C-alpha cells in the first residue's frame, strides 16, 4: 500500500516540554485526507523528541517514525535533510507532506531537489486528482498545481497554516517505530546559536482591545498622522504591516503577522493593507475586522466583516471626524 | 568577496491583475515590472558587504528582454556587472528546472557568496535559493536579515517566527536567502545611472534544463470568498457615518 508521510514539528514550552505544533496537526489532517482520497496509508515522522511522538499514538496513522540522534536535537538543514532522505529512501512514500513553517522553508525545497522533485509549497487546499491549490501574487490570485512526469519519486507538498482543520484529525492507534539515522559531525556545515528576542517590549499589542493597523497604502511617512488621529479618536493602539516597520516608520514591536505579533482584539481596523497570508495569520482571530482598501480584490476582504472599497485619504479623515463628533 | 545576487523582475505591487485567456498565467501586456522586493534587500546587503570588504557584486537575472531594465537599475545602484540569462519560456519551468538553469550560470562565476530574495512576489515559492544551494553543493541559510564576515566565513542573523531571531555561522562559499527590512535601501544616484552605462551586461541564452518539469501550474483563478463581508458604499461622509453606526451598535467600541 502506498503511503503519505507527514513530517511534523515540535514546539517547546517554557519548561522545554515538547508538543507537536498546531500547524503540524493541521498537516496531519491534510495528510490523512490525501491518503484517504488515494486509498493510501498515512504515516508521521517525528525528529528529535520521543515525548512528541507519544502524542501521536492516539491518531489514525499507520506508523509514527521516530528519528532520534544527538545531531537532530538542534535543527540544522543538513541534519534534517540527511535524516529525512534516509527515511524516505527506506520507506518509499508516494507523498511527503510538511507544515509550511519557517523551518520547513529552510530545508524542504532542498530535500525535494535531492529526489529530483520540486516542492509544491504553501498549499491551501487539496482537491481530487490530486490537485493542489496555492496562492499567487500574495493572495490576489489562486492557482492549481499538478505533478507532471514520472511518479517514481515521491511528490513533496507543504501546507499553509490555518488551511486544514485540527478537528478533522482522525483518532485511532498508531505504533511508534524507531528509525535509525546515520549522521556524523562532518555532515553539519552550519552552526546555529540559541534563538533570542530583540529589545524589550514597550507596547502590549496582544492586550489592546482596539487596533488601527496601517499598511503600504499610506504611501509616505508624512501621511502617518492620518491614522494616528484615527487611532486617537478610537482610543486604539497603532500597529502596521511589515513594510511599514521595514521602512522604520514604526518600531518592529508594532508589526502584526507571522514574524511579528499575533493579535485578536475586539476591533482590528486595517487601513491600506493588502492582506498577504503572513499578515492575516497575525490578525484573523480578531472579533471584528474592518478593512479600507482601494482594491476590491485585495485579500484582506476575505477576512473582513465590514469592507470599504475606496481611497483611504478620503475615508480616514471623514471617519476620524465622524467618530470625534459621535463621542462629543 | 565575490558576491552574486539573483534578482527576479515581477509586476509592480499595485498592478491590476487580470487572468490570461488560457487561464495559465496573468495578462502581461501593459504591466509595469520592478525588482522583486526582497531581492532589492539582497542587492543592498551585497553592496554593503563590498563596501566593507572589497570585491565584486554581480547581478543575475533570468527572463525575457524586459528584465534588462531591472539589471540596469542594479548597476545604477552599484552592482559591478550583470548577467542576463535570456529566456522567454521561464514561466513554464518549475523551481528545480529554473534553479538548474541559474546554477549553470553561477558555477562558471564561482562566487564566494550567493544571495537571493527569500520569496518572489508573483509565484511566492520561497524555494529557489535553497534549491540552488543543494544543486551547487553549498551550505545555506534562509530569512537572513544581516551578514557579518568572520575569520572562518560568515555569521548571519536569521529571522524565526513570532519575533525571534538566531545567529548562524557558515563557511564560504554559501547561499543565503534575504528577508526584507534588514537594511535601508539606497536609491540610484544620477552619477550611478551615468556610470551604469559603462558597465557590462552579458547576455547568455539560458540552457534548456535537462530534466522535465515535475510540477505544473495548470489553472489560475480568482479566490472564492470565504467570508460574507458587508461592503459599505456611498460618499466618504456616508461611509464614515455607517462605520460609526456599526462601531456603536454592533462592535460596541464607541
Ligand atoms: C517569511 C515572511 C514573513 C513575513 N512576515 C510578515 C509579517 O509579520 N507581517 C506582515 O504584515 N507582513 C509580513 N510579510 C510580508 C507580506 O508577505 C506582505 O508583503 C506584506 O504584509 C504587505 O504589506 P502591505 O499590505 O502593507 O503592502 P501591499 O501588499 O503593498 O499592500 C498595500 C495595499 O494598500 C492598498 N492601497 C494603496 N493605496 C491606497 C489608498 N489610497 N487607499 C486605500 N488603499 C490603498 C493597495 O490596494 C494594497 O492592497 C512576510 C513575508 C514573508 C515572506
Ligand atoms: N528568473 C529569476 N532570475 C533570477 N533570480 C530568480 C529568478 N526567479 C527567482 N529568483 C530568485 O529566487 C528568489 C526566490 O524566488 P521563488 O523561489 O520563486 O520564491 C527570488 O527572490 C530571486 O532572488
Amino acid at each position: 500500500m502506498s503511503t503519505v508521510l507527514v513530517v511534523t514539528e515540535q514546539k517547546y514550552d517554557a519548561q522545554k516540554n515538547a508538543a507537536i505544533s498546531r500547524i503540524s496537526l493541521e498537516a496531519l489532517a491534510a495528510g490523512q485526507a490525501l491518503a484517504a482520497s488515494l486509498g493510501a496509508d498515512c504515516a508521521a515522522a517525528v525528529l528529535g523528541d520521543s515525548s512528541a511522538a507519544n502524542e501521536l499514538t492516539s491518531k489514525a496513522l499507520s506508523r509514527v517514525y521516530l528519528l532520534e540522534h544527538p545531531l537532530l536535537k538542534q535543527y540544522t538543514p543538513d541534519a534534517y535533510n540527511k535524516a529525512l532522505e534516509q527515511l524516505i529512501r527506506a520507506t518509499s512514500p508516494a507523498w511527503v507532506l510538511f507544515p509550511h513553517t519557517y523551518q520547513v522553508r529552510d530545508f524542504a525545497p532542498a530535500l525535494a531537489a535531492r529526489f529530483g522533485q520540486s516542492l509544491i509549497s504553501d498549499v491551501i487546499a487539496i482537491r481530487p486528482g490530486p490537485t493542489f491549490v496555492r496562492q499567487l501574487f500574495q493572495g490576489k490570485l489562486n492557482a492549481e498545481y499538478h505533478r507532471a512526469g514520472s511518479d517514481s519519486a515521491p511528490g513533496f507538498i507543504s501546507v499553509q497554516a490555518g488551511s486544514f482543520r485540527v478537528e478533522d484529525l482522525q483518532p485511532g492507534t498508531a505504533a511508534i517505530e524507531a528509525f535509525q539515522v546515520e549522521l556524523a559531525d562532518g555532515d553539519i556545515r552550519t552552526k546555529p546559536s540559541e534563538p533570542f528576542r530583540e529589545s524589550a517590549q514597550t507596547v502590549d499589542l496582544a492586550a489592546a482591545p482596539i487596533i488601527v493597523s496601517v499598511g503600504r497604502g499610506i504611501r509616505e511617512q508624512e501621511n502617518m498622522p492620518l491614522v494616528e488621529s484615527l487611532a486617537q479618536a478610537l482610543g486604539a493602539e497603532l500597529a502596521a504591516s511589515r513594510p511599514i516597520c521595514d521602512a522604520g516608520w514604526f518600531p518592529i514591536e508594532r508589526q502584526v503577522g507571522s514574524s511579528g505579533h499575533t493579535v485578536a482584539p475586539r476591533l482590528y481596523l486595517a487601513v491600506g493593507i493588502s492582506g498577504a497570508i503572513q499578515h492575516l495569520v497575525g490578525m484573523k482571530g480578531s472579533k471584528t475586522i474592518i478593512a479600507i482598501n482601494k482594491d476590491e480584490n485585495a485579500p484582506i476582504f476575505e477576512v473582513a466583516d465590514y469592507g470599504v472599497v475606496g481611497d483611504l485619504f478620503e475615508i480616514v479623515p471623514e471617519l476620524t471626524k465622524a467618530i470625534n463628533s459621535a463621542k462629543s | 568577496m565575490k558576491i552574486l545576487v539573483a534578482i527576479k523582475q515581477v509586476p509592480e505591487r499595485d498592478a491590476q491583475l487580470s487572468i490570461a485567456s488560457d487561464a495559465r498565467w496573468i495578462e502581461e501586456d501593459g504591466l509595469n515590472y520592478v525588482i522583486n522586493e526582497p531581492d532589492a534587500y539582497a542587492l543592498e546587503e551585497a553592496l554593503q558587504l563590498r563596501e566593507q570588504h572589497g570585491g565584486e557584486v554581480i547581478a543575475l537575472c533570468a527572463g525575457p528582454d524586459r528584465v534588462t531594465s531591472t539589471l540596469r537599475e542594479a548597476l545604477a545602484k552599484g552592482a559591478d556587472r550583470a548577467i542576463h540569462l535570456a529566456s522567454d519560456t521561464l514561466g513554464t519551468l518549475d523551481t528545480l528546472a529554473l534553479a538548474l538553469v541559474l546554477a549553470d550560470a553561477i558555477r562558471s562565476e564561482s562566487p564566494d557568496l550567493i544571495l537571493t530574495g527569500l520569496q518572489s512576489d508573483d509565484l511566492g515559492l520561497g524555494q529557489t535559493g535553497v534549491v540552488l544551494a543543494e544543486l551547487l553543493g553549498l551550505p545555506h541559510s534562509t530569512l537572513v536579515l544581516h551578514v557579518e564576515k568572520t575569520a572562518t566565513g560568515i555569521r548571519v542573523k536569521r529571522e524565526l517566527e513570532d519575533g525571534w531571531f538566531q545567529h548562524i555561522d557558515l563557511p564560504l562559499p554559501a547561499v543565503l536567502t534575504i528577508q526584507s527590512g534588514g537594511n535601508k535601501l539606497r536609491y540610484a544616484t544620477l552619477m550611478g545611472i551615468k556610470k551604469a552605462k559603462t558597465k557590462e551586461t552579458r547576455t547568455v541564452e539560458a540552457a534548456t534544463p535537462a530534466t522535465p518539469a515535475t510540477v505544473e501550474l495548470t489553472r489560475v483563478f480568482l479566490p472564492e470568498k470565504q467570508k460574507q463581508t458587508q461592503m459599505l458604499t456611498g460618499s466618504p461622509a456616508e461611509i464614515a457615518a455607517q462605520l460609526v453606526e456599526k462601531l456603536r451598535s454592533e462592535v460596541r467600541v464607541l
Side-chain angles (χ1 to χ4, degrees), chain A residues 236-313:
Chain A
E237 201 59 81
L238 277 161
S241 67
R242 180 169 191 127
I244 301 298
C245 300
D246 281 354
W249 301 350
F250 271 170
I252 185 159
E253 61 178 354
R254 291 196 186 267
Q255 182 177 314
V256 169
S258 64
S259 45
H261 292 283
T262 300
V263 297
R266 274 179 72 182
L267 172 64
Y268 190 90
L269 209 169
V271 180
I273 293 179
S274 64
I277 180 64
Q278 294 86 4
H279 189 80
L280 297 188
V281 295
M283 47 63 78
K284 68 180 176 189
S286 305
K287 192 138 180 294
T288 302
I289 297 169
I290 300 178
I292 302 172
N293 195 302
K294 68 171 185 190
D295 175 7
E296 60 173 334
N297 288 322
I300 190 75
F301 291 126
E302 294 288 304
V303 301
D305 299 281
Y306 302 105
V308 176
V309 177
D311 186 348
L312 73 90
F313 296 102

Side-chain angles (χ1 to χ4, degrees), chain B residues 32-55:
Chain B
N32 286 326
Y33 284 85
V34 295
I35 184 169
N36 184 47
E37 183 166 57
D39 304 6
Y41 285 93
L43 175 64
E44 181 60 42
E45 188 66 43
L47 293 172
Q48 293 197 12
L49 282 168
R50 186 197 58 194
E51 279 152 14
Q52 288 160 39
H53 306 288

Side-chain angles (χ1 to χ4, degrees), chain B:
Chain B
M1 239 194 282
K2 182 170 178 180
I3 308 171
L4 185 140
V5 189
I7 286 172
K8 185 173 185 181
Q9 195 190 48
V10 295
E12 70 180 344
R13 274 182 172 254
D14 261 7
Q16 276 300 324
L17 302 175
S18 58
I19 297 167
S21 55
D22 67 356
R24 300 291 286 251
W25 189 235
I26 54 162
E27 202 54 73
E28 294 201 330
D29 287 349
L31 286 182
N32 286 326
Y33 284 85
V34 295
I35 184 169
N36 184 47
E37 183 166 57
D39 304 6
Y41 285 93
L43 175 64
E44 181 60 42
E45 188 66 43
L47 293 172
Q48 293 197 12
L49 282 168
R50 186 197 58 194
E51 279 152 14
Q52 288 160 39
H53 306 288
E56 187 186 22
V57 173
I58 306 159
L60 169 72
C61 182
D65 277 345
R66 62 170 155 76
V67 306
T68 50
S69 66
T70 291
L71 285 173
R72 262 201 308 280
E73 189 189 322
L75 293 173
K77 284 187 172 184
D80 297 286
R81 57 192 169 90
I83 303 171
H84 172 209
L85 275 177
S87 170
D88 291 329
T89 55
L90 284 178
T92 61
L93 302 183
D94 64 0
T95 315
L96 181 56
L98 171 71
L100 282 164
V101 172
L102 295 176
D104 263 351
I106 293 170
R107 246 183 231 109
S108 60
E109 291 285 348
S110 35
D112 302 303
L113 191 59
I114 297 144
L115 304 184
T116 73
L118 87 158
Q119 183 165 311
S120 56
D121 276 346
D122 51 359
L123 288 172
L125 298 166
Q127 298 183 38
T128 306
V130 178
V131 176
L132 270 178
E134 175 69 20
L135 297 177
L136 296 167
L138 299 178
H140 75 272
S141 192
T142 56
L143 288 147
V144 168
L145 288 162
H146 185 66
V147 186
E148 212 179 298
K149 209 167 171 305
T150 61
T152 53
I154 49 172
R155 162 168 267 229
V156 303
K157 178 177 163 194
R158 165 164 203 259
E159 178 177 303
L160 304 175
E161 275 136 348
D162 305 323
W164 289 83
F165 301 94
Q166 185 179 31
H167 286 118
I168 314 259
D169 286 294
L170 300 93
L172 291 177
V175 180
L176 304 175
T177 82
I178 303 294
Q179 167 67 298
S180 63
N183 288 307
K184 223 170 149 43
L185 298 177
R186 72 188 65 192
Y187 292 98
T189 59
L190 225 66
M191 175 80 146
I193 295 168
K194 239 190 205 154
K195 260 183 154 170
K197 298 204 171 99
T198 67
K199 292 176 179 172
E200 176 203 17
T201 297
R202 190 155 52 89
T203 299
V204 188
E205 283 301 316
T208 317
T211 54
T214 60
V215 161
E216 203 181 356
L217 192 172
T218 45
R219 185 169 79 93
V220 177
F221 57 102
L222 275 175
E224 299 98 29
K225 285 246 181 297
Q226 283 166 7
K227 190 159 177 175
Q228 282 300 331
T229 304
Q230 192 180 333
M231 289 301 192
L232 308 178
T233 55
S235 71
E238 285 161 1
I239 289 170
Q242 291 174 61
L243 279 172
V244 166
E245 178 49 32
K246 300 287 177 206
L247 293 176
R248 203 200 315 255
S249 62
E250 278 163 59
V251 194
R252 293 174 188 276
V253 291
L254 281 186

